[in-house]
Every structure is written in C-alpha cells, then in structure tokens.
Amino acid sequence: MANNIKRLRLGFLFTPREFSRLIGVYPEYLPRLESGERALTDAWIDAVSGALGIAPEAVLDPDADIQKIVSSAPRPDVEAATICPLSARYAILAIAAKTCGLKIAEKITEDDLAESVCSLIAFVQGGARQSSLEKSNPEMSGLEKPAPGVLDEKAVSRLSKGLQITALAILQSCFDDPPPDFQERLDAALQGAVSMIVAFSQIDERARPPEME
C-alpha cells in the first residue's frame, strides 16, 4: 500500500532511527512501512500522524502537499519519545517464551509484534489521541497520563498495565488453551520485562558510535 511515510520523514528531516523511535517502532521494521510492503492499519496511521502532529489523511493521500504539511507543523522533539521500541519488542517475546514456551514465542509474526510494540508505546506515552489499546480496552482510559518526555512512576504504571494487556492479546492468538499456571507465570515475567524496558529506555542513544548507525 503506497503511503507518504518516507516523504514525511525526509520532509521533517528525521533519520530512520530518530523517526522509528518517534512513532514507536524499531528501525529494522521501518522499511516495511515506508515501502508500503506492510499495509497500514489504523494503529500505524495514528502513530505516524500523532507523532508528527498532522492529519491522519496526510499519511495516505497520494496528492498530499508534503512541503505545505511540514511548514505548517512544528518539528516534533525526539526526546519526548521515552520508550525504546527494540526493548519493548524483546520484552514481549521474553514474556511469551517464559509463560508459554519458546515454540509459542516463535509463532508470533514480525508484523503482529511490531504493531503490538507501536500500540503499547502509544498507550504508555499518553498522547493527545486515544491509543488503540485504549480503544479496545476502555477501562484503561482512566489511568493517569505521564508528563511528556518523562519516564516517571505514572509512565511505568501504564507500561506495566499496557504490557500485560499486550502480552495477553498477542498470546491468545497463538494458542487455544493457555497453560494451567499461565497467569502466575505472566505476573512473574512482567516485573522483569518492565524493568528491562525501563533500563534500556534510559540509555542515551546519542552516544552510539557513527559506524553502528
């Protein structure tokens, strides 16, 4: 599906790594979105438009005036993106493997995994627009939102709740009957997964050597 993601990224002068963090996905997955190989769901359209502060229609409109869109919207601050998408990816996989075994974890497709990461991060960071997690779980809309760009207690609380819902949703698509001690295993795995995401999210990516880009 053709889209304007790459044109918008270049228009706002973001590197692939910066833009990936901004919209809540790991850099290795971004080419699938930019090339149109991955059809854009509402979650992806909301992630891009919400991160850039533009109308959702601008993401797909083949006649969109990118220069006009860029000039009319302030350039978003990448530092406001508090969660490391790559750590969220591996946290979800680790929860799957710990609760249901490696074979179940290996059944999770990269497309499902990337969209789950995107939805989780949108929920944790608590933007102005309702995340897909909140749309499918209205009771989560009542959780207090964190300050922009801050990984505080409110953000960690939303991360723990969002990660639990995300893990449940993605694992339910992989099996018919969960293990008898599934909830106990999930509760035990969540604490470690949350700690990993928080720790990796606090690493300053600007310190990365140029040859690693």
Side-chain angles (χ1 to χ4, degrees), residues 126-162:
R129 301 178 186 177
Q130 192 178 46
S131 68
S132 59
L133 273 184
E134 290 168 309
K135 291 177 182 177
S136 57
N137 300 274
E139 71 280 3
M140 297 175 69
S141 298
L143 291 176
E144 196 170 0
K145 294 185 177 182
V150 178
L151 193 56
D152 57 12
E153 289 184 8
K154 296 174 186 176
V156 174
S157 176
R158 289 175 71 89
L159 173 60
S160 180
K161 184 64 176 178

Side-chain angles (χ1 to χ4, degrees), residues 10-25:
L10 295 175
F12 279 96
L13 302 178
F14 286 118
T15 66
R17 184 169 296 278
E18 290 173 332
F19 191 68
S20 297
R21 176 118 182 185
L22 193 67
I23 68 172
V25 71

Side-chain angles (χ1 to χ4, degrees), residues 74-95:
R75 187 176 186 272
D77 181 8
V78 179
E79 296 301 314
T82 54
I83 302 297
C84 169
L86 195 59
S87 67
R89 176 190 186 276
Y90 283 106
I92 293 172
L93 286 175
I95 289 175

Side-chain angles (χ1 to χ4, degrees), residues 2 4 16 83 97 119 125 134-136 146 161 165 184 186 191:
N4 298 323
I83 302 297
S119 298
Q125 295 180 166
E134 290 168 309
K135 291 177 182 177
S136 57
K161 184 64 176 178
I165 297 297
E184 182 181 345
L186 177 60
Q191 184 176 357

Side-chain angles (χ1 to χ4, degrees), residues 8 13 37 49 65 67 140 143 160 172 175 191 206:
L8 287 165
L13 302 178
E37 183 180 358
S49 60
D65 187 337
Q67 185 174 358
M140 297 175 69
L143 291 176
S160 180
Q172 284 172 352
F175 57 69
Q191 184 176 357
R206 292 172 297 180

Side-chain angles (χ1 to χ4, degrees), residues 111-131:
D111 285 341
D112 287 344
L113 191 55
E115 188 162 332
S116 294
V117 168
C118 176
S119 298
L120 171 63
I121 291 176
F123 168 72
V124 174
Q125 295 180 166
R129 301 178 186 177
Q130 192 178 46
S131 68

